[in-house]
Amino acid sequence: MGCIQPLVSGEILICSACLHGLPYTDHHLDPDNLVARQFWGRIPCHAAMAMLFFKKAGTVQQLIHHLKYSDQQDLGIRMGILLGERLLSAPLYQGIDFLIPVPLHKKRLKKRGYNQSSSIAQGISQVLKVPISTQHLLRKMATDSQTNKGRLLRFENMSAAFEVQHPEELTNQHLLLIDDVLTTGATLEACGIALLQAQPEKISIATLAFVT
């Protein structure tokens, strides 16, 4: 999926050369990483990280494109396993109670057929043995494309898009928000603000990639 070269025995979706050459951030080892700083003063975030740096025309963009637009849900699970393996060794990500993928609006979900963030969450769940919640955080309204919008416009676009159901089930829980790519953080910020209504103990964030 990264280089369109044939796989050899034992390789799954991504070849060993691409896996070795991916631009890993090691954010899970640094509490004050670039992603965590994105949310300072915006939401009370216990921990935040991205697994990879995203660069245009790079292997990561190729993988994300396949995940979102080529019906490659298995790729999301594969990448989620890689992400989960990093979280497993990160002290700040211990004791997570629920994995919460950023939800799609039902119209977008029907058109695409799946939520790529849910696929990533499936892989993380296999490693961390933590349940996935898709019924607590809902996207109640469709939003315009975030492309070419700055942080403020992105947040205004997303600020009323999410709602929480059954908040009492999330009270005093450690929640891990999951998304594919973080650009300005506006979507995750809006999700976090909505989840705060449930009074969780902690909200943490993990994404596959971070646009520098």
Side-chain angles (χ1 to χ4, degrees):
M1 290 294 173
C3 62
I4 323 180
Q5 297 299 312
L7 296 174
V8 300
S9 178
E11 294 179 338
I12 304 172
L13 295 174
I14 309 170
C15 74
S16 299
C18 281
L19 278 177
H20 180 72
L22 287 174
Y24 295 103
T25 66
D26 289 334
H27 282 171
H28 62 295
L29 303 175
D30 178 13
D32 295 330
N33 64 69
L34 293 174
V35 168
R37 293 180 185 184
Q38 283 259 32
F39 296 98
W40 288 358
R42 295 167 66 180
I43 56 173
C45 189
H46 173 69
M49 61 84 72
M51 181 171 70
L52 302 167
F53 290 113
F54 181 103
K55 295 181 180 179
K56 288 188 177 181
T59 302
V60 176
Q61 184 179 35
Q62 177 87 350
L63 293 171
I64 297 295
H65 183 86
H66 280 306
L67 171 59
K68 295 180 71 170
Y69 305 115
S70 300
D71 194 22
Q72 295 293 337
Q73 300 179 63
D74 287 346
L75 179 60
I77 296 172
R78 176 79 173 108
M79 299 293 283
I81 289 172
L82 295 175
L83 178 51
E85 288 170 350
R86 283 157 175 77
L87 299 178
L88 192 62
S89 63
L92 288 177
Y93 292 88
Q94 304 308 304
I96 294 169
D97 297 295
F98 287 107
L99 306 177
I100 301 184
V102 170
L104 292 178
H105 187 265
K106 58 184 179 182
K107 291 183 179 179
R108 180 74 61 84
L109 184 60
K110 183 177 181 180
K111 181 178 180 180
R112 183 172 293 170
Y114 62 97
N115 179 353
Q116 72 276 4
S117 296
S118 293
S119 299
I120 297 165
Q122 289 178 50
I124 296 174
S125 179
Q126 288 184 28
V127 177
L128 300 187
K129 312 301 182 186
V130 173
I132 302 168
S133 165
T134 57
Q135 73 275 9
H136 290 108
L137 182 65
L138 303 180
R139 200 171 199 139
K140 63 182 180 180
M141 58 187 294
T143 53
D144 299 331
S145 172
Q146 297 284 71
T147 305
N148 298 323
K149 287 184 170 69
R151 184 174 75 84
L152 181 58
L153 288 178
R154 283 175 181 246
F155 178 73
E156 290 176 346
N157 193 39
M158 302 300 302
S159 58
F162 302 98
E163 67 177 357
V164 175
Q165 294 190 339
H166 310 294
E168 69 283 355
E169 297 175 1
L170 302 180
T171 302
N172 296 323
Q173 303 294 298
H174 185 180
L175 312 178
L176 180 62
L177 264 172
I178 298 164
D179 206 1
D180 54 356
V181 180
L182 184 146
T183 305
T184 66
T187 300
L188 287 162
E189 181 182 1
C191 289
I193 289 172
L195 287 170
L196 286 174
Q197 301 171 25
Q199 298 183 329
E201 180 185 9
K202 302 172 185 174
I203 296 176
S204 296
I205 289 170
T207 70
L208 282 187
F210 170 51
V211 179
T212 56

